[in-house]
Amino acid sequence: MPPTALTGFHHRTAVRLAAALALAFGMLGAAGAAGSQSAHAAVAPVAAPAAENPPDSFWGDTGSIPPAQNVLTVKILNRTNGKYPDDQVYWKFGGQEHSIAEQPYVDMPANSAGRMYFYLGSPDSKYQDFIEFTVGDDVFNGNTTRVDGWALPLAMRLHSNDGSDVQVGDGYDLFQQDRDAVFQQFKSEVPTEFQGLADIQAPYRIPAPGSSPDFQAGGKYADYFTSYAQSVGVNESTSNITGCAGSLASNPDMCAALNRHVAQLPKDQWSTPSNFYKDGPANYYAKFWHDHAINNLAYGFPYDDVAGRSSFVSHADPKWLEVAVGW
């Protein structure tokens, strides 16, 4: 994964997760350089099937999860449908690295802006992905993320001592089908401009637009968002729009509105999900992961938490967290 992209997002995430932690404690474009906005507006996204949430059986036996000595117990689940045995599904966190055959549980301590990585096949495999979190003495804040790219199906289930039970992450359909089918499904559901994302790092991952040369300066879709952004008074590059960078780093509402193609609407309509992605230009990469996410919640771009549409979950007095790793 490109280290610069990850580092930039990790910094923004650390700030936002820290804010959530404090709150919890306190309460407890155009095709090519000559393209135009109208050209993209003519591109209608392909309708996607409704996302399917995992059944209870997907999460296995939760009654046997050992109690935490620290803040909460994390259990890693092999949901690769037999592609990889437990001794080839690895996790890495806090200087530890194990297969889930060796150690399926992690007694999670309090930590700031942490990440847990997952690998298939070997600990240095290119088939790798991660979740991120901030864990306080009595609270968990975390999320799955597609801000930089998608590499493995991941889902989280957080259970707290007060009975709260929340699931976020990739939908059940992404776990049930082969990854080749996911890549092909992505290409079939996004407009032409985004289809190449499924090719440039295949078969390992589908990067976000900001990681693709096509959407960067000099790329054939570098002006994908520019006319639309200028029409609402924003002068930013396509890569800064999809990455919520430049002037948009301090303007989350506008960044989200541009990615969702609602910036032309009255501001009181920017947070209505039924308005999102109705027309182009829009971040159809992000739309795909929402369409195939539990409860349609995903982190498809850095400020996807505007209007509560991200896969972020926060709860006090956590008991355990399950993380499902797919193929």
mmCIF file of all heavy atoms in Angstrom, residues 257-297:
data_model
loop_
_atom_site.group_PDB
_atom_site.id
_atom_site.type_symbol
_atom_site.label_atom_id
_atom_site.label_comp_id
_atom_site.label_asym_id
_atom_site.label_seq_id
_atom_site.Cartn_x
_atom_site.Cartn_y
_atom_site.Cartn_z
ATOM 1 N N ALA A 257 -19.804 16.524 0.178
ATOM 2 C CA ALA A 257 -20.824 16.910 -0.797
ATOM 3 C C ALA A 257 -20.332 16.742 -2.227
ATOM 4 O O ALA A 257 -21.084 16.301 -3.109
ATOM 5 C CB ALA A 257 -21.248 18.355 -0.553
ATOM 6 N N LEU A 258 -19.074 17.063 -2.484
ATOM 7 C CA LEU A 258 -18.522 16.892 -3.823
ATOM 8 C C LEU A 258 -18.415 15.411 -4.194
ATOM 9 O O LEU A 258 -18.799 15.008 -5.295
ATOM 10 C CB LEU A 258 -17.145 17.550 -3.910
ATOM 11 C CG LEU A 258 -17.126 19.077 -3.877
ATOM 12 C CD1 LEU A 258 -15.701 19.589 -3.687
ATOM 13 C CD2 LEU A 258 -17.743 19.652 -5.149
ATOM 14 N N ASN A 259 -17.894 14.603 -3.288
ATOM 15 C CA ASN A 259 -17.757 13.175 -3.573
ATOM 16 C C ASN A 259 -19.106 12.509 -3.815
ATOM 17 O O ASN A 259 -19.222 11.600 -4.634
ATOM 18 C CB ASN A 259 -17.021 12.478 -2.423
ATOM 19 C CG ASN A 259 -15.512 12.599 -2.521
ATOM 20 O OD1 ASN A 259 -14.855 11.824 -3.198
ATOM 21 N ND2 ASN A 259 -14.960 13.600 -1.842
ATOM 22 N N ARG A 260 -20.137 12.984 -3.115
ATOM 23 C CA ARG A 260 -21.474 12.399 -3.228
ATOM 24 C C ARG A 260 -22.342 13.079 -4.288
ATOM 25 O O ARG A 260 -23.495 12.698 -4.488
ATOM 26 C CB ARG A 260 -22.175 12.478 -1.872
ATOM 27 C CG ARG A 260 -21.470 11.682 -0.783
ATOM 28 C CD ARG A 260 -21.914 12.105 0.614
ATOM 29 N NE ARG A 260 -21.319 11.255 1.637
ATOM 30 C CZ ARG A 260 -21.361 11.521 2.951
ATOM 31 N NH1 ARG A 260 -21.961 12.635 3.378
ATOM 32 N NH2 ARG A 260 -20.798 10.699 3.824
ATOM 33 N N HIS A 261 -21.817 14.099 -4.945
ATOM 34 C CA HIS A 261 -22.533 14.891 -5.947
ATOM 35 C C HIS A 261 -23.838 15.473 -5.387
ATOM 36 O O HIS A 261 -24.930 15.296 -5.940
ATOM 37 C CB HIS A 261 -22.846 14.070 -7.206
ATOM 38 C CG HIS A 261 -23.239 14.947 -8.369
ATOM 39 N ND1 HIS A 261 -22.327 15.435 -9.276
ATOM 40 C CD2 HIS A 261 -24.439 15.438 -8.760
ATOM 41 C CE1 HIS A 261 -22.952 16.175 -10.176
ATOM 42 N NE2 HIS A 261 -24.238 16.193 -9.881
ATOM 43 N N VAL A 262 -23.683 16.178 -4.273
ATOM 44 C CA VAL A 262 -24.828 16.912 -3.724
ATOM 45 C C VAL A 262 -24.473 18.379 -3.485
ATOM 46 O O VAL A 262 -25.303 19.144 -2.975
ATOM 47 C CB VAL A 262 -25.352 16.281 -2.403
ATOM 48 C CG1 VAL A 262 -25.925 14.894 -2.650
ATOM 49 C CG2 VAL A 262 -24.249 16.238 -1.342
ATOM 50 N N ALA A 263 -23.270 18.803 -3.858
ATOM 51 C CA ALA A 263 -22.824 20.166 -3.560
ATOM 52 C C ALA A 263 -23.641 21.225 -4.277
ATOM 53 O O ALA A 263 -23.652 22.391 -3.868
ATOM 54 C CB ALA A 263 -21.341 20.319 -3.918
ATOM 55 N N GLN A 264 -24.336 20.836 -5.349
ATOM 56 C CA GLN A 264 -25.166 21.784 -6.089
ATOM 57 C C GLN A 264 -26.529 21.982 -5.442
ATOM 58 O O GLN A 264 -27.287 22.877 -5.832
ATOM 59 C CB GLN A 264 -25.343 21.298 -7.545
ATOM 60 C CG GLN A 264 -26.350 20.173 -7.740
ATOM 61 C CD GLN A 264 -25.844 18.803 -7.285
ATOM 62 O OE1 GLN A 264 -24.715 18.657 -6.834
ATOM 63 N NE2 GLN A 264 -26.691 17.785 -7.425
ATOM 64 N N LEU A 265 -26.855 21.177 -4.439
ATOM 65 C CA LEU A 265 -28.143 21.257 -3.755
ATOM 66 C C LEU A 265 -28.066 22.248 -2.593
ATOM 67 O O LEU A 265 -26.970 22.604 -2.135
ATOM 68 C CB LEU A 265 -28.528 19.879 -3.216
ATOM 69 C CG LEU A 265 -28.682 18.752 -4.230
ATOM 70 C CD1 LEU A 265 -28.965 17.432 -3.511
ATOM 71 C CD2 LEU A 265 -29.785 19.063 -5.230
ATOM 72 N N PRO A 266 -29.213 22.710 -2.081
ATOM 73 C CA PRO A 266 -29.201 23.512 -0.856
ATOM 74 C C PRO A 266 -28.493 22.745 0.259
ATOM 75 O O PRO A 266 -28.626 21.513 0.351
ATOM 76 C CB PRO A 266 -30.690 23.706 -0.546
ATOM 77 C CG PRO A 266 -31.369 23.573 -1.867
ATOM 78 C CD PRO A 266 -30.583 22.541 -2.628
ATOM 79 N N LYS A 267 -27.754 23.429 1.089
ATOM 80 C CA LYS A 267 -26.911 22.756 2.070
ATOM 81 C C LYS A 267 -27.701 21.879 3.024
ATOM 82 O O LYS A 267 -27.170 20.872 3.524
ATOM 83 C CB LYS A 267 -26.088 23.789 2.852
ATOM 84 C CG LYS A 267 -24.943 23.162 3.631
ATOM 85 C CD LYS A 267 -23.977 24.189 4.164
ATOM 86 C CE LYS A 267 -22.803 23.514 4.866
ATOM 87 N NZ LYS A 267 -21.800 24.510 5.374
ATOM 88 N N ASP A 268 -28.955 22.206 3.275
ATOM 89 C CA ASP A 268 -29.739 21.367 4.186
ATOM 90 C C ASP A 268 -30.115 20.024 3.569
ATOM 91 O O ASP A 268 -30.713 19.177 4.233
ATOM 92 C CB ASP A 268 -30.993 22.102 4.684
ATOM 93 C CG ASP A 268 -31.957 22.479 3.560
ATOM 94 O OD1 ASP A 268 -31.692 22.145 2.383
ATOM 95 O OD2 ASP A 268 -32.978 23.127 3.856
ATOM 96 N N GLN A 269 -29.746 19.806 2.299
ATOM 97 C CA GLN A 269 -29.983 18.520 1.643
ATOM 98 C C GLN A 269 -28.695 17.716 1.458
ATOM 99 O O GLN A 269 -28.731 16.615 0.915
ATOM 100 C CB GLN A 269 -30.642 18.744 0.275
ATOM 101 C CG GLN A 269 -32.018 19.397 0.348
ATOM 102 C CD GLN A 269 -32.639 19.572 -1.025
ATOM 103 O OE1 GLN A 269 -32.419 18.786 -1.947
ATOM 104 N NE2 GLN A 269 -33.434 20.628 -1.172
ATOM 105 N N TRP A 270 -27.584 18.242 1.910
ATOM 106 C CA TRP A 270 -26.302 17.552 1.739
ATOM 107 C C TRP A 270 -26.195 16.271 2.562
ATOM 108 O O TRP A 270 -25.389 15.396 2.241
ATOM 109 C CB TRP A 270 -25.151 18.479 2.128
ATOM 110 C CG TRP A 270 -24.864 19.562 1.146
ATOM 111 C CD1 TRP A 270 -25.601 19.923 0.058
ATOM 112 C CD2 TRP A 270 -23.740 20.454 1.183
ATOM 113 N NE1 TRP A 270 -25.022 20.989 -0.594
ATOM 114 C CE2 TRP A 270 -23.873 21.330 0.077
ATOM 115 C CE3 TRP A 270 -22.653 20.609 2.040
ATOM 116 C CZ2 TRP A 270 -22.945 22.330 -0.190
ATOM 117 C CZ3 TRP A 270 -21.723 21.606 1.779
ATOM 118 C CH2 TRP A 270 -21.866 22.453 0.675
ATOM 119 N N SER A 271 -26.950 16.170 3.632
ATOM 120 C CA SER A 271 -26.825 15.024 4.536
ATOM 121 C C SER A 271 -27.954 14.011 4.377
ATOM 122 O O SER A 271 -28.149 13.154 5.242
ATOM 123 C CB SER A 271 -26.766 15.505 5.989
ATOM 124 O OG SER A 271 -25.612 16.287 6.217
ATOM 125 N N THR A 272 -28.687 14.088 3.271
ATOM 126 C CA THR A 272 -29.784 13.150 3.003
ATOM 127 C C THR A 272 -29.265 12.013 2.130
ATOM 128 O O THR A 272 -28.991 12.227 0.943
ATOM 129 C CB THR A 272 -30.941 13.850 2.289
ATOM 130 O OG1 THR A 272 -31.375 14.967 3.089
ATOM 131 C CG2 THR A 272 -32.107 12.899 2.066
ATOM 132 N N PRO A 273 -29.081 10.801 2.665
ATOM 133 C CA PRO A 273 -28.470 9.710 1.899
ATOM 134 C C PRO A 273 -29.161 9.402 0.577
ATOM 135 O O PRO A 273 -28.497 8.991 -0.383
ATOM 136 C CB PRO A 273 -28.537 8.522 2.861
ATOM 137 C CG PRO A 273 -28.497 9.149 4.218
ATOM 138 C CD PRO A 273 -29.298 10.418 4.076
ATOM 139 N N SER A 274 -30.478 9.597 0.499
ATOM 140 C CA SER A 274 -31.182 9.296 -0.745
ATOM 141 C C SER A 274 -30.767 10.230 -1.881
ATOM 142 O O SER A 274 -31.049 9.947 -3.055
ATOM 143 C CB SER A 274 -32.701 9.367 -0.535
ATOM 144 O OG SER A 274 -33.088 10.660 -0.106
ATOM 145 N N ASN A 275 -30.082 11.334 -1.555
ATOM 146 C CA ASN A 275 -29.591 12.262 -2.579
ATOM 147 C C ASN A 275 -28.219 11.871 -3.118
ATOM 148 O O ASN A 275 -27.803 12.378 -4.162
ATOM 149 C CB ASN A 275 -29.490 13.686 -2.007
ATOM 150 C CG ASN A 275 -30.838 14.302 -1.717
ATOM 151 O OD1 ASN A 275 -31.837 13.943 -2.326
ATOM 152 N ND2 ASN A 275 -30.879 15.242 -0.775
ATOM 153 N N PHE A 276 -27.520 10.966 -2.415
ATOM 154 C CA PHE A 276 -26.127 10.695 -2.740
ATOM 155 C C PHE A 276 -25.983 9.907 -4.038
ATOM 156 O O PHE A 276 -26.764 8.976 -4.302
ATOM 157 C CB PHE A 276 -25.452 9.904 -1.619
ATOM 158 C CG PHE A 276 -25.427 10.599 -0.276
ATOM 159 C CD1 PHE A 276 -25.061 9.890 0.860
ATOM 160 C CD2 PHE A 276 -25.760 11.931 -0.138
ATOM 161 C CE1 PHE A 276 -25.020 10.504 2.099
ATOM 162 C CE2 PHE A 276 -25.731 12.566 1.101
ATOM 163 C CZ PHE A 276 -25.355 11.841 2.222
ATOM 164 N N TYR A 277 -24.952 10.250 -4.823
ATOM 165 C CA TYR A 277 -24.529 9.488 -6.004
ATOM 166 C C TYR A 277 -25.630 9.346 -7.055
ATOM 167 O O TYR A 277 -25.638 8.383 -7.819
ATOM 168 C CB TYR A 277 -24.010 8.104 -5.600
ATOM 169 C CG TYR A 277 -22.959 8.144 -4.519
ATOM 170 C CD1 TYR A 277 -23.235 7.707 -3.217
ATOM 171 C CD2 TYR A 277 -21.682 8.629 -4.785
ATOM 172 C CE1 TYR A 277 -22.271 7.756 -2.221
ATOM 173 C CE2 TYR A 277 -20.704 8.681 -3.796
ATOM 174 C CZ TYR A 277 -21.010 8.247 -2.522
ATOM 175 O OH TYR A 277 -20.044 8.300 -1.537
ATOM 176 N N LYS A 278 -26.540 10.300 -7.106
ATOM 177 C CA LYS A 278 -27.615 10.229 -8.080
ATOM 178 C C LYS A 278 -27.141 10.582 -9.483
ATOM 179 O O LYS A 278 -27.799 10.236 -10.476
ATOM 180 C CB LYS A 278 -28.765 11.164 -7.680
ATOM 181 C CG LYS A 278 -29.530 10.718 -6.446
ATOM 182 C CD LYS A 278 -30.217 9.391 -6.665
ATOM 183 C CE LYS A 278 -31.093 9.016 -5.484
ATOM 184 N NZ LYS A 278 -31.703 7.684 -5.660
ATOM 185 N N ASP A 279 -26.038 11.287 -9.575
ATOM 186 C CA ASP A 279 -25.538 11.724 -10.873
ATOM 187 C C ASP A 279 -24.035 11.892 -10.778
ATOM 188 O O ASP A 279 -23.449 11.845 -9.694
ATOM 189 C CB ASP A 279 -26.212 13.047 -11.269
ATOM 190 C CG ASP A 279 -26.361 13.196 -12.779
ATOM 191 O OD1 ASP A 279 -25.636 12.478 -13.510
ATOM 192 O OD2 ASP A 279 -27.176 14.016 -13.215
ATOM 193 N N GLY A 280 -23.391 12.092 -11.927
ATOM 194 C CA GLY A 280 -21.959 12.291 -11.958
ATOM 195 C C GLY A 280 -21.609 13.730 -12.292
ATOM 196 O O GLY A 280 -22.457 14.464 -12.797
ATOM 197 N N PRO A 281 -20.387 14.135 -11.985
ATOM 198 C CA PRO A 281 -19.309 13.332 -11.433
ATOM 199 C C PRO A 281 -19.527 13.029 -9.946
ATOM 200 O O PRO A 281 -20.036 13.864 -9.206
ATOM 201 C CB PRO A 281 -18.073 14.204 -11.633
ATOM 202 C CG PRO A 281 -18.596 15.606 -11.564
ATOM 203 C CD PRO A 281 -19.958 15.543 -12.215
ATOM 204 N N ALA A 282 -19.142 11.847 -9.558
ATOM 205 C CA ALA A 282 -19.247 11.432 -8.164
ATOM 206 C C ALA A 282 -18.183 10.378 -7.913
ATOM 207 O O ALA A 282 -17.623 9.801 -8.847
ATOM 208 C CB ALA A 282 -20.635 10.868 -7.857
ATOM 209 N N ASN A 283 -17.918 10.121 -6.662
ATOM 210 C CA ASN A 283 -16.922 9.118 -6.303
ATOM 211 C C ASN A 283 -17.594 7.743 -6.295
ATOM 212 O O ASN A 283 -18.025 7.234 -5.263
ATOM 213 C CB ASN A 283 -16.321 9.435 -4.929
ATOM 214 C CG ASN A 283 -15.135 8.557 -4.593
ATOM 215 O OD1 ASN A 283 -14.967 7.482 -5.149
ATOM 216 N ND2 ASN A 283 -14.314 9.018 -3.669
ATOM 217 N N TYR A 284 -17.667 7.140 -7.481
ATOM 218 C CA TYR A 284 -18.348 5.859 -7.606
ATOM 219 C C TYR A 284 -17.548 4.711 -7.008
ATOM 220 O O TYR A 284 -18.107 3.648 -6.734
ATOM 221 C CB TYR A 284 -18.676 5.579 -9.075
ATOM 222 C CG TYR A 284 -19.739 6.518 -9.605
ATOM 223 C CD1 TYR A 284 -19.430 7.481 -10.556
ATOM 224 C CD2 TYR A 284 -21.044 6.455 -9.127
ATOM 225 C CE1 TYR A 284 -20.399 8.353 -11.034
ATOM 226 C CE2 TYR A 284 -22.018 7.319 -9.590
ATOM 227 C CZ TYR A 284 -21.686 8.268 -10.552
ATOM 228 O OH TYR A 284 -22.658 9.129 -11.014
ATOM 229 N N TYR A 285 -16.261 4.922 -6.798
ATOM 230 C CA TYR A 285 -15.472 3.965 -6.012
ATOM 231 C C TYR A 285 -16.074 3.855 -4.610
ATOM 232 O O TYR A 285 -16.349 2.759 -4.111
ATOM 233 C CB TYR A 285 -14.018 4.430 -5.943
ATOM 234 C CG TYR A 285 -13.199 3.771 -4.856
ATOM 235 C CD1 TYR A 285 -12.535 2.575 -5.082
ATOM 236 C CD2 TYR A 285 -13.089 4.359 -3.586
ATOM 237 C CE1 TYR A 285 -11.784 1.974 -4.079
ATOM 238 C CE2 TYR A 285 -12.337 3.771 -2.584
ATOM 239 C CZ TYR A 285 -11.691 2.572 -2.833
ATOM 240 O OH TYR A 285 -10.955 1.974 -1.835
ATOM 241 N N ALA A 286 -16.291 4.997 -3.960
ATOM 242 C CA ALA A 286 -16.871 4.999 -2.618
ATOM 243 C C ALA A 286 -18.278 4.420 -2.638
ATOM 244 O O ALA A 286 -18.663 3.661 -1.741
ATOM 245 C CB ALA A 286 -16.883 6.418 -2.051
ATOM 246 N N LYS A 287 -19.062 4.773 -3.653
ATOM 247 C CA LYS A 287 -20.425 4.271 -3.748
ATOM 248 C C LYS A 287 -20.447 2.749 -3.768
ATOM 249 O O LYS A 287 -21.299 2.113 -3.118
ATOM 250 C CB LYS A 287 -21.119 4.801 -4.999
ATOM 251 C CG LYS A 287 -22.555 4.294 -5.182
ATOM 252 C CD LYS A 287 -23.158 4.793 -6.476
ATOM 253 C CE LYS A 287 -24.634 4.389 -6.587
ATOM 254 N NZ LYS A 287 -24.847 2.920 -6.612
ATOM 255 N N PHE A 288 -19.527 2.133 -4.490
ATOM 256 C CA PHE A 288 -19.513 0.668 -4.570
ATOM 257 C C PHE A 288 -19.355 0.045 -3.195
ATOM 258 O O PHE A 288 -20.068 -0.909 -2.845
ATOM 259 C CB PHE A 288 -18.379 0.191 -5.487
ATOM 260 C CG PHE A 288 -18.303 -1.306 -5.605
ATOM 261 C CD1 PHE A 288 -19.072 -1.976 -6.544
ATOM 262 C CD2 PHE A 288 -17.474 -2.053 -4.767
ATOM 263 C CE1 PHE A 288 -19.020 -3.363 -6.644
ATOM 264 C CE2 PHE A 288 -17.408 -3.436 -4.865
ATOM 265 C CZ PHE A 288 -18.186 -4.097 -5.815
ATOM 266 N N TRP A 289 -18.450 0.571 -2.380
ATOM 267 C CA TRP A 289 -18.234 -0.035 -1.056
ATOM 268 C C TRP A 289 -19.405 0.227 -0.123
ATOM 269 O O TRP A 289 -19.709 -0.606 0.742
ATOM 270 C CB TRP A 289 -16.912 0.462 -0.468
ATOM 271 C CG TRP A 289 -15.774 0.147 -1.392
ATOM 272 C CD1 TRP A 289 -14.952 1.019 -2.027
ATOM 273 C CD2 TRP A 289 -15.385 -1.160 -1.849
ATOM 274 N NE1 TRP A 289 -14.080 0.357 -2.837
ATOM 275 C CE2 TRP A 289 -14.310 -0.983 -2.755
ATOM 276 C CE3 TRP A 289 -15.826 -2.458 -1.585
ATOM 277 C CZ2 TRP A 289 -13.675 -2.051 -3.395
ATOM 278 C CZ3 TRP A 289 -15.203 -3.532 -2.222
ATOM 279 C CH2 TRP A 289 -14.151 -3.329 -3.115
ATOM 280 N N HIS A 290 -20.107 1.334 -0.302
ATOM 281 C CA HIS A 290 -21.347 1.538 0.450
ATOM 282 C C HIS A 290 -22.412 0.529 0.016
ATOM 283 O O HIS A 290 -23.132 -0.029 0.853
ATOM 284 C CB HIS A 290 -21.863 2.963 0.251
ATOM 285 C CG HIS A 290 -21.171 3.977 1.086
ATOM 286 N ND1 HIS A 290 -21.502 4.213 2.407
ATOM 287 C CD2 HIS A 290 -20.140 4.826 0.806
ATOM 288 C CE1 HIS A 290 -20.719 5.154 2.903
ATOM 289 N NE2 HIS A 290 -19.879 5.543 1.946
ATOM 290 N N ASP A 291 -22.522 0.308 -1.270
ATOM 291 C CA ASP A 291 -23.531 -0.620 -1.780
ATOM 292 C C ASP A 291 -23.296 -2.039 -1.297
ATOM 293 O O ASP A 291 -24.236 -2.838 -1.245
ATOM 294 C CB ASP A 291 -23.527 -0.615 -3.314
ATOM 295 C CG ASP A 291 -24.113 0.653 -3.907
ATOM 296 O OD1 ASP A 291 -24.808 1.385 -3.174
ATOM 297 O OD2 ASP A 291 -23.866 0.919 -5.104
ATOM 298 N N HIS A 292 -22.056 -2.352 -0.938
ATOM 299 C CA HIS A 292 -21.710 -3.717 -0.529
ATOM 300 C C HIS A 292 -21.163 -3.747 0.894
ATOM 301 O O HIS A 292 -20.255 -4.523 1.203
ATOM 302 C CB HIS A 292 -20.701 -4.302 -1.519
ATOM 303 C CG HIS A 292 -21.240 -4.409 -2.898
ATOM 304 N ND1 HIS A 292 -22.043 -5.464 -3.315
ATOM 305 C CD2 HIS A 292 -21.149 -3.571 -3.961
ATOM 306 C CE1 HIS A 292 -22.396 -5.271 -4.574
ATOM 307 N NE2 HIS A 292 -21.872 -4.135 -4.989
ATOM 308 N N ALA A 293 -21.734 -2.914 1.757
ATOM 309 C CA ALA A 293 -21.308 -2.836 3.152
ATOM 310 C C ALA A 293 -22.474 -3.124 4.083
ATOM 311 O O ALA A 293 -23.645 -2.933 3.728
ATOM 312 C CB ALA A 293 -20.738 -1.452 3.458
ATOM 313 N N ILE A 294 -22.156 -3.589 5.270
ATOM 314 C CA ILE A 294 -23.174 -3.820 6.300
ATOM 315 C C ILE A 294 -23.883 -2.497 6.578
ATOM 316 O O ILE A 294 -23.244 -1.481 6.865
ATOM 317 C CB ILE A 294 -22.516 -4.360 7.581
ATOM 318 C CG1 ILE A 294 -21.906 -5.747 7.322
ATOM 319 C CG2 ILE A 294 -23.534 -4.437 8.717
ATOM 320 C CD1 ILE A 294 -21.077 -6.275 8.483
ATOM 321 N N ASN A 295 -25.191 -2.524 6.451
ATOM 322 C CA ASN A 295 -26.024 -1.330 6.635
ATOM 323 C C ASN A 295 -25.601 -0.176 5.737
ATOM 324 O O ASN A 295 -25.876 0.988 6.029
ATOM 325 C CB ASN A 295 -26.019 -0.890 8.108
ATOM 326 C CG ASN A 295 -26.646 -1.928 9.014
ATOM 327 O OD1 ASN A 295 -27.640 -2.557 8.666
ATOM 328 N ND2 ASN A 295 -26.054 -2.142 10.172
ATOM 329 N N ASN A 296 -24.906 -0.498 4.645
ATOM 330 C CA ASN A 296 -24.463 0.494 3.652
ATOM 331 C C ASN A 296 -23.548 1.572 4.244
ATOM 332 O O ASN A 296 -23.471 2.678 3.721
ATOM 333 C CB ASN A 296 -25.662 1.142 2.960
ATOM 334 C CG ASN A 296 -26.526 0.125 2.233
ATOM 335 O OD1 ASN A 296 -27.701 -0.034 2.557
ATOM 336 N ND2 ASN A 296 -25.952 -0.575 1.283
ATOM 337 N N LEU A 297 -22.812 1.220 5.301
ATOM 338 C CA LEU A 297 -21.898 2.149 5.945
ATOM 339 C C LEU A 297 -20.464 1.772 5.592
ATOM 340 O O LEU A 297 -20.040 0.634 5.816
ATOM 341 C CB LEU A 297 -22.081 2.135 7.463
ATOM 342 C CG LEU A 297 -23.480 2.498 7.971
ATOM 343 C CD1 LEU A 297 -23.534 2.370 9.492
ATOM 344 C CD2 LEU A 297 -23.865 3.910 7.532
#
